[in-house]
Amino acid sequence: MISKKDRLRVNIVWVIGIFLVWELAAFLLAGVLKDPMADAKLPYLHNIILVIIQNFGELMSAAGLTFSRAILGFSLGALVGFLLAIIMSLSKTVEKIAFPYLIFSQMVPVLGLAPIIFNLVGDMNTSRTIIAAYITFFPVSVNMLSGLTSVENEKKELMYSYAAGKKSIYYKLMIPYSLPYLFAGLKIAAPMSVTASILVDMLGSSGGIGVKLLYSLYSGTKDMFWASVFTSAAMGIISYTIILFLEKKCIPWNKEVVQKEGA
Amino acid sequence: MQTAAETTEASGELDKLTLQLKWLPQSQFMGYYVAAEKGYYEEEGIDIEILPGGSDIIPEQNVYNGVANIGVTWVSSLMTYQAQGYELQEIAQVFQKSGLLLVSKKDTGISTAADLTGKKVGNWFGGNEYEILALLEKYKLDKNSDLELVQQDYTMDQVKEGSIDAASAMTYNEFGLLLESGIAKEDLNVIDMNEEGVAMMEDCLFVNSEWAAENEDLIVRFLRASIKGWADASADPKAAGEIVYNVDKSVSLEHQVYMAEEVAKLVVPEGFDPANIGFIDMAAIQQTADYLALYNKDLASTPVVDDTTFTAKYWEEATK
Amino acid sequence: MKDKIKNIILPVSFGILIIALWEGGVIHKVLDFKPFQLPIPSQIIKTLGKNFEKATLDTVTTVNGAMVGLVIGCLIGFLVAVIATQFPKWGYTGLTVIATFNAIPIVALSPIMNRWFESGFGQKVGVVSVVCMGAMAINAYRGLNDLKPFARDLMESYAATGKEVFFKLRLPNCLPSIFTAIKINVPAALMAAMISEYFAASTSGLGFGVKDNLRKGMMAMGWSYIVMASLVGIILYLLIILVERKAIKWHASQR
């Protein structure tokens, strides 16, 4: 059992450890190997942090815009992914028909998709949310489905023997049983929704981290580029932590979660 | 800006118009920003919205779909879409010259295009490569066997670190970035597409033909305001660069001003009458079409250059 | 046996139906598209036929990079999951760190990898590895730890060592999750490889084909590359399912 205090201490050690390793690597690259592109390959971490602090307000307002769009896209994508998984688990036929096409859907790049969505929706902002959701739904669907199909037949049979209806089997057995799977999917999808949102920032949005990234990349302002990368990574951690928190709230019976989080 | 906002509220009867840029807000598009800032669009009764471009934004698609009314793109790119059947037409030619250069460090020994043999040459592709292909053809170089033609990313790092020998650069942007990164002009060799006679036309304004037929007056008013904005911007690029910088501060003020100065040279080249900003030089358009037909073998049909695809009547009306 | 035939016929006939509607112009009519905005299947196939040799070479380039990256990424992800399981106190944070990588957009990752690797291949593998780590780490961790109630207690009551618990209980329990992760990672790896080719210093690969042609408005050619990518994605996916069936016959999801 790990107490909260211990967890905090562990995390602090991790942060310091990463900082030191990064600084050392950057020093080796720039100072010892004299790599001329060191500031593009791996700039000093303290430099990046400095740039973030200097441009904090600007970065935060851009991050806010991107994050709010990510939440919207994530909610929509997770909902669609969840429903798709339920439908597919209800009918093997639907699963067999739909699954190859889900893969197909994942292979259509945004560049090919965007004009079609724009044409259908006609509004840039709605289109962006739809595209973000589109990128997010897949891992949720796959994980939820593998959760639903992992329920042992004995359990289902037991429920049947109690004369439980399909609906109550889902409510009482299948969905609760699949929750850990669902959350594994959500944990993968949450940071992905941030990336998706950054990607749609680049679809002609006037603000957001994506615009910052693209612009700093294009104009060769390396420190701003790395600061933006860090901001997006930080958004990823936040989204991941939110899901962890929700997981603890939603599946308190999950022994592992309780154990690991040391409640 | 304050006065502009007030007039909008007061009259309330401005025609809404959206302009889709080819790329991010930068001095490449300074004419429109200057016109918006100085209220030229409002004077013409237009409520303008300028949509920035991006990596996955294709102006031709957006204008055709109706997401935007008017778009900025390169002529060669517009032509490929027209050849596919998109009913789009050019209404003004903003850049009179090509801004494309092929830049290399002196130590790579590329002083003329003939020296490109055996070298690694970069371009962004996606429709930006035709001038380079025309250049190679002129020097009888085979793009597959005589040299390695590769894609370059948005940065100029590849040329700096030497992983690419010669890289494409726009006079107003990447070339400036290279200089700003500390490489001296004397250490660089430059091949200019205009001097080599392989130039193709770049930034132009275009519309959906169907939409245009119903909005002729609006187009004329838009052009009048935009030309005024471009005239101001080209006369005082420094002020224009500042206006753009205030729209988006992601790039340094110095770079925006540099870009504004270089762009002005393309919009109003030496000996060009500023009153003719936006003039469509059909001979130059024809050369663009010829090169395009030569170097895009998969083109759906030969580009059509006449007044259905390149329409000067709005521009003539606006400059009367 | 009957089921197997059904498994193939259903999705295929659904596909044929869609393609027929698409070819017949029904989809275009409903969505108000022109054929040059979304090319019709016969046009895509014709274009693909003309360009088949190059398209195949491009596919091989992309798939190679994607697969090497997939393997490296999955190995790293799995390793992190194992460390987090065996050393819950110190290792668990590693999962968060790995998940963070999922939030770095490929568009940003590609230019960084461009600096690190001069070859297009190395850059691709780098990008794909980073993209694949997260899904594997998270899923494998769930599999290693989401044990059946009392299974561990039972093992411990038999005085099983940590090693035995790991190999006899955790690892088999983890297999289905590993397959789930691979199923998510296969399309993700291909997509990441393609996006990385948008920026790579080469002019080969599916991603370059898609971007170059779509940007130029050569829709049929662009879509023929998308079709190739989808075919490869589906084939790889079916392979994974096949292996999964053999490897975890005992699991409920396979019955």
Side-chain angles (χ1 to χ4, degrees):
Chain A
M1 298 288 156
I2 301 161
S3 72
K4 268 190 179 151
K5 223 168 125 194
D6 264 356
R7 175 111 331 267
L8 186 71
R9 206 159 61 213
V10 167
N11 285 340
I12 290 172
V13 172
W14 263 90
V15 169
I16 295 173
I18 291 174
F19 184 84
L20 289 179
V21 170
W22 186 307
E23 287 284 291
L24 186 70
F27 171 74
L28 283 177
L29 201 65
V32 180
L33 294 171
K34 305 265 181 232
D35 191 311
M37 299 308 293
D39 62 333
K41 282 182 178 168
L42 196 73
Y44 282 110
L45 191 52
H46 68 260
N47 274 346
I48 302 174
I49 294 170
L50 222 62
V51 175
I52 293 178
I53 293 170
Q54 279 161 3
N55 301 284
F56 194 73
E58 204 183 314
L59 281 169
M60 282 307 112
S61 69
L65 191 69
T66 305
F67 203 72
S68 62
R69 205 179 281 142
I71 291 174
L72 215 60
F74 175 79
S75 314
L76 192 64
L79 187 70
V80 171
F82 179 78
L83 291 179
L84 264 176
I86 299 271
I87 294 169
M88 286 193 290
S89 79
L90 276 172
S91 154
K92 272 267 174 208
T93 317
V94 175
E95 185 195 337
K96 292 278 152 22
I97 293 179
F99 225 102
Y101 298 100
L102 288 189
I103 312 270
F104 179 79
S105 78
Q106 290 302 294
M107 299 317 303
V108 179
V110 172
L111 195 62
L113 189 70
I116 294 173
I117 304 260
F118 285 165
N119 202 5
L120 280 180
V121 183
D123 175 65
M124 296 280 270
N125 271 323
T126 321
S127 305
R128 285 195 202 106
T129 312
I130 292 176
I131 294 171
Y134 178 90
I135 301 174
T136 317
F137 86 92
F138 188 70
V140 180
S141 228
V142 173
N143 268 63
M144 184 69 195
L145 183 65
S146 63
L148 289 169
T149 51
S150 302
V151 181
E152 278 98 345
N153 278 338
E154 297 83 50
K155 286 193 181 133
K156 277 193 240 170
E157 275 151 21
L158 184 68
M159 290 290 280
Y160 274 122
S161 76
Y162 292 152
K166 205 146 202 176
K167 209 165 144 191
S168 80
I169 292 185
Y170 263 81
Y171 275 126
K172 300 211 168 113
L173 170 68
M174 305 281 275
I175 294 181
Y177 185 92
S178 311
L179 277 183
Y181 290 84
L182 174 67
F183 273 99
L186 292 178
K187 275 183 233 168
I188 299 163
M192 265 172 92
S193 72
V194 173
T195 358
S197 175
I198 289 173
L199 196 74
V200 296
D201 277 347
M202 298 178 187
L203 291 172
S205 165
S206 52
I209 285 294
V211 173
K212 286 251 166 307
L213 263 176
L214 199 60
Y215 221 138
S216 56
L217 193 60
Y218 192 58
S219 62
T221 34
K222 301 234 161 51
D223 34 4
M224 199 58 188
F225 171 73
W226 278 93
S228 306
V229 170
F230 260 67
T231 314
S232 53
M235 284 193 282
I237 297 187
I238 293 170
S239 68
Y240 183 83
T241 324
I242 293 175
I243 301 296
L244 274 186
F245 175 77
L246 288 178
E247 184 179 30
K248 239 193 316 188
K249 292 276 156 207
C250 290
I251 28 177
W253 66 85
N254 189 338
K255 216 174 83 205
E256 281 312 315
V257 176
V258 176
Q259 221 175 54
K260 288 286 155 337
E261 300 305 314
Chain B
M1 269 325 247
Q2 195 109 46
T3 52
E6 277 162 17
T7 30
T8 316
E9 268 167 41
S11 69
E13 278 177 35
L14 298 174
D15 293 311
K16 276 195 88 63
L17 192 70
T18 45
L19 174 68
Q20 175 68 62
L21 302 181
K22 185 180 158 65
W23 193 242
L24 304 164
Q26 56 183 7
S27 297
Q28 182 183 357
F29 313 107
M30 60 183 177
Y32 317 112
Y33 285 109
V34 169
E37 168 77 20
K38 294 197 174 172
Y40 293 162
Y41 289 117
E42 271 116 55
E43 285 169 19
E44 295 288 346
I46 296 172
D47 175 16
I48 191 104
E49 190 192 351
I50 303 180
L51 303 174
S55 55
D56 288 349
I57 291 279
I58 301 166
E60 286 88 344
Q61 295 268 12
N62 277 4
V63 169
Y64 189 80
N65 291 343
V67 173
N69 304 123
I70 300 180
V72 179
T73 192
W74 281 17
V75 173
S76 52
S77 169
L78 178 65
M79 281 173 176
T80 31
Y81 278 90
Q82 288 171 335
Q84 297 266 314
Y86 285 72
E87 287 130 359
L88 301 168
Q89 56 181 227
E90 175 172 331
I91 53 169
Q93 184 63 43
V94 182
F95 286 12
Q96 302 293 340
K97 281 173 66 183
S98 165
L100 185 66
L101 305 172
L102 205 52
V103 185
S104 55
K105 285 199 278 191
K106 274 244 162 84
D107 54 30
T108 55
I110 304 171
S111 49
T112 82
D115 301 327
L116 289 171
T117 316
K119 300 285 194 226
K120 219 169 171 178
V121 181
N123 184 264
W124 309 282
F125 286 87
N128 297 320
E129 71 272 30
Y130 304 124
E131 282 168 278
I132 304 292
L133 296 178
L135 179 76
L136 297 179
E137 180 86 4
K138 185 185 164 193
Y139 286 86
K140 303 269 178 293
L141 292 169
D142 186 298
K143 67 171 170 139
N144 297 316
S145 57
D146 289 336
L147 54 107
E148 196 185 347
L149 206 53
V150 299
Q151 181 175 230
Q152 66 188 66
D153 58 25
Y154 294 140
T155 68
M156 276 280 121
D157 291 344
Q158 286 153 313
V159 115
K160 266 173 72 188
E161 71 187 1
S163 61
I164 285 183
D165 297 312
S168 299
M170 302 310 293
T171 51
Y172 49 83
N173 200 4
E174 288 82 2
F175 190 62
L177 290 174
L178 211 49
L179 299 180
E180 284 161 28
S181 77
I183 297 183
K185 218 169 184 165
E186 302 81 57
D187 295 333
L188 292 170
N189 277 328
V190 172
I191 299 171
D192 186 321
M193 301 303 144
N194 298 300
E195 287 165 20
E196 296 287 349
V198 292
M200 287 166 82
M201 290 292 100
E202 290 158 5
D203 292 35
C204 69
L205 288 166
F206 70 97
V207 292
N208 181 326
S209 307
E210 206 179 298
W211 179 84
E214 292 157 14
N215 294 282
E216 297 198 333
D217 178 55
L218 184 56
I219 295 176
V220 171
R221 283 185 283 144
F222 166 80
L223 281 182
R224 209 179 288 138
S226 304
I227 292 169
K228 229 166 130 185
W230 274 111
D232 285 7
S234 309
D236 188 358
K238 202 164 168 286
E242 262 168 52
I243 288 174
V244 177
Y245 177 73
N246 285 327
V247 173
D248 190 305
K249 293 197 169 62
S250 308
V251 173
S252 70
L253 177 61
E254 292 74 44
H255 187 66
Q256 290 294 10
V257 170
Y258 166 88
M259 191 186 292
E261 282 163 352
E262 289 299 322
V263 165
K265 292 180 200 162
L266 301 177
V267 175
V268 186
E270 271 183 50
F272 187 83
D273 181 359
N276 283 336
I277 288 177
F279 170 72
I280 305 176
D281 177 356
M282 285 307 250
I285 299 288
Q286 188 61 52
Q287 170 165 332
T288 306
D290 293 344
Y291 283 142
L292 181 65
L294 267 175
Y295 301 113
N296 187 346
K297 298 274 191 294
D298 301 311
L299 209 60
S301 61
T302 320
V304 178
V305 181
D306 62 22
D307 55 7
T308 63
T309 48
F310 292 82
T311 315
K313 70 172 180 191
Y314 306 107
W315 179 81
E316 280 159 9
E317 186 66 30
T319 48
K320 235 189 234 164
Chain C
M1 202 55 208
K2 234 182 174 175
D3 264 5
K4 261 192 189 159
I5 296 172
K6 217 168 124 192
N7 287 350
I8 298 171
I9 288 180
L10 278 175
V12 169
S13 46
F14 179 73
I16 292 175
L17 178 73
I18 292 288
I19 290 175
L21 289 178
W22 184 355
E23 179 76 32
V26 179
I27 292 182
H28 283 80
K29 204 162 239 161
V30 173
L31 303 183
D32 191 23
F33 278 144
K34 296 277 164 58
F36 47 77
Q37 283 179 295
L38 180 67
I40 53 170
S42 61
Q43 203 189 343
I44 297 176
I45 302 289
K46 227 164 57 196
T47 318
L48 185 60
K50 262 194 288 182
N51 189 39
F52 192 69
E53 209 172 314
K54 181 161 187 314
T56 318
L57 275 177
D58 283 335
T59 309
V60 171
T61 311
T62 306
V63 171
N64 274 347
M67 288 305 110
V68 175
L70 179 76
V71 170
I72 296 176
C74 284
L75 282 178
I76 297 175
F78 184 71
L79 209 66
V80 170
V82 170
I83 293 172
T85 306
Q86 297 301 87
F87 310 97
K89 186 175 174 184
W90 289 101
Y92 186 73
T93 312
L95 276 186
T96 315
V97 175
I98 285 276
T100 310
F101 282 108
N102 266 7
I104 302 177
I106 301 172
V107 206
L109 214 51
S110 302
I112 298 176
M113 292 297 172
N114 256 351
R115 296 291 84 75
W116 279 97
F117 302 98
E118 274 199 17
S119 79
F121 185 76
Q123 179 241 21
K124 207 174 315 177
V125 171
V127 171
V128 175
S129 306
V130 172
V131 168
C132 291
M133 291 186 311
M136 178 54 90
I138 291 165
N139 265 301
Y141 180 80
R142 197 190 48 68
L144 288 168
N145 289 280
D146 191 17
L147 306 173
K148 277 194 196 121
F150 310 118
R152 200 170 140 201
D153 299 339
L154 187 68
M155 295 265 313
E156 268 158 15
S157 74
Y158 292 150
T161 59
K163 213 167 149 190
E164 275 170 321
V165 171
F166 182 82
F167 282 103
K168 299 222 165 112
L169 178 63
R170 289 190 193 274
L171 207 54
N173 191 59
C174 171
L175 268 180
S177 312
I178 291 181
F179 279 106
T180 305
I182 297 179
K183 278 191 248 175
I184 294 174
N185 274 344
V186 161
L190 276 174
M191 199 58 180
M194 282 167 68
I195 297 179
S196 80
E197 281 162 357
Y198 286 9
F199 307 94
S202 72
T203 53
S204 58
L206 289 172
F208 181 80
V210 169
K211 181 201 174 196
D212 194 41
N213 287 300
L214 287 188
R215 287 236 100 179
K216 282 190 218 163
M218 316 289 291
M219 294 297 155
M221 187 73 109
W223 276 88
S224 74
Y225 277 99
I226 295 179
V227 167
M228 281 301 255
S230 311
L231 284 179
V232 171
I234 291 170
I235 290 170
L236 286 174
Y237 198 86
L238 291 177
L239 279 178
I240 301 291
I241 291 189
L242 223 66
V243 177
E244 183 185 26
R245 278 218 184 119
K246 297 259 178 281
I248 48 168
K249 271 194 191 135
W250 46 270
H251 192 250
S253 65
Q254 301 305 317
R255 265 179 253 154

